[in-house]
Each structure stands twice: as C-alpha cells, then as structure tokens.
Amino acid sequence: MELIKKQMEELLKRLENVRNSGVILNAYGNSEAEDEYILSDIYEFFVEHFEDTDIEWIKAYIQIFSWQFQSFHEGVITYYTNLYEYTDYETIMKTSSYLKNHGFYEILDIYSLPAHDYSIYERESEIPESWIDKIDQVDNWIDSHEEIVFNCLCDLCFMNKEEIFACER
C-alpha cells in the first residue's frame, strides 16, 4: 500500500504543477504542457489499482476521463452506447449522481443530457434522432469546454486525495 500512496503523491504533484502552470489539459494531453499526459497517467493508475473499487470519486474520474477521451477519439456516442462495455446506463447514472451530490453542476447537466438505456437498440441506426441530437450537443460542449472538464478531473483528485492515502489496499 505504501508504494501506491507514494505513486499517488507523485501523480498529484505532477498534476498540481500542470494546474499551477495555467495550461489546460484534456484526455488527449496538450503539447503546450510540460507534463501533457498526467491525466492519462492518473487514469491508468486508477484502472490498474482501483478498477474494482467502491470509491465513488475514482469511478467518477475514470468515467469523466473516458467520456472526454471517447468524444475526441470517435464521438461520445461510443460512451453512451457502451461500445467498450464499461459505461452502461447504471454506471452513467451513478456518475451523474456523484457529480450532483458533490457540486459538479457545470458538468452534470451536459453529462446527463443523453443518458438513456441504449442497450434496447441493436444498431446505432435504431436510436431515436432526438437522442442523437443530444449526443451531438455533448460532443460540441466537450470540445468547447475543456477547462471545465480539466478542473473537474483535478478537483476530483485534490478534494479526495486523503481517501487514497487512508485506504488499505
């Protein structure tokens, strides 16, 4: 456990340095940053050490990072339709609940906007157009609000870091 705590401390120092530099990162990094992949490194750390955790904020970090990454990579529709089988409707609703209960209102409404149970459709072409319109709104929002997503990911880490240091793994 001490090694995990030490690794987390190092990751948080790196994240704090980037945040203090004024550079905004996204799930794809930012070539202007000295440490452009710190958000990815934290994501990978959480997946490696805490994927099966009950720690809600770590789950929220994993989901919000994935949400932004998938939006940039191939469109957020892959997130909401659970293409990679780790963003089912229940998980999305739990993340929405966490965001609401912890004051992440700037991101909550847009994150929750297209939340539906897409598993009832076998093909993307069967999804109602009104749902697709909402997904398009989310992709546009993510693209133009990188700072809000960045701040959300940073805040999740900094507000909850003591929980990592206190947990026994």
Side-chain angles (χ1 to χ4, degrees):
M1 187 61 201
E2 287 304 314
L3 180 59
I4 290 173
K5 290 177 186 178
K6 183 177 172 84
Q7 289 172 332
M8 188 65 197
E9 285 175 353
E10 290 172 9
L11 289 168
L12 290 177
K13 281 182 190 174
R14 290 171 51 203
L15 182 60
E16 185 174 26
N17 289 338
V18 170
R19 193 176 209 185
N20 290 340
S21 77
V23 175
I24 304 302
L25 297 180
N26 62 50
Y28 265 22
N30 180 336
S31 61
E32 295 176 14
E34 189 173 310
D35 197 352
E36 70 177 298
Y37 298 113
I38 182 59
L39 295 177
S40 296
D41 292 346
I42 292 170
Y43 169 84
E44 290 171 10
F45 175 81
F46 286 157
V47 169
E48 180 180 343
H49 297 289
F50 296 96
E51 187 171 30
D52 297 326
T53 187
D54 290 331
I55 302 174
E56 291 180 345
W57 73 268
I58 291 177
K59 289 180 177 181
Y61 184 99
I62 290 170
Q63 291 305 309
I64 297 301
F65 180 91
S66 298
W67 177 67
Q68 186 182 52
F69 184 90
Q70 287 178 245
S71 175
F72 290 160
H73 183 61
E74 54 206 349
V76 79
I77 193 166
T78 60
Y79 180 84
Y80 289 102
T81 58
N82 196 20
L83 181 67
Y84 299 106
E85 299 183 4
Y86 61 84
T87 56
D88 58 34
Y89 180 69
E90 181 181 347
T91 300
I92 291 169
M93 296 314 297
K94 285 180 180 178
T95 302
S96 293
S97 179
Y98 180 87
L99 293 171
K100 180 180 179 183
N101 293 338
H102 293 86
F104 290 96
Y105 302 116
E106 282 187 295
I107 205 168
L108 170 65
D109 290 340
I110 197 70
Y111 176 80
S112 303
L113 182 68
H116 299 286
D117 186 359
Y118 291 85
S119 67
I120 60 175
Y121 300 104
E122 290 185 26
R123 291 184 298 279
E124 192 175 306
S125 62
E126 297 173 347
I127 298 171
E129 190 63 33
S130 62
W131 293 12
I132 299 297
D133 290 344
K134 290 176 183 178
I135 287 172
D136 290 343
Q137 287 177 38
V138 173
D139 273 325
N140 291 331
W141 187 93
I142 290 172
D143 191 46
S144 61
H145 292 84
E146 289 182 21
E147 185 172 5
I148 292 172
V149 178
F150 175 66
N151 286 332
C152 176
L153 293 170
C154 288
D155 290 346
L156 284 167
C157 290
F158 293 127
M159 289 171 30
N160 297 291
K161 66 182 178 183
E162 295 306 319
E163 189 171 354
I164 288 288
F165 301 141
C167 79
E168 297 300 321
R169 198 95 181 121

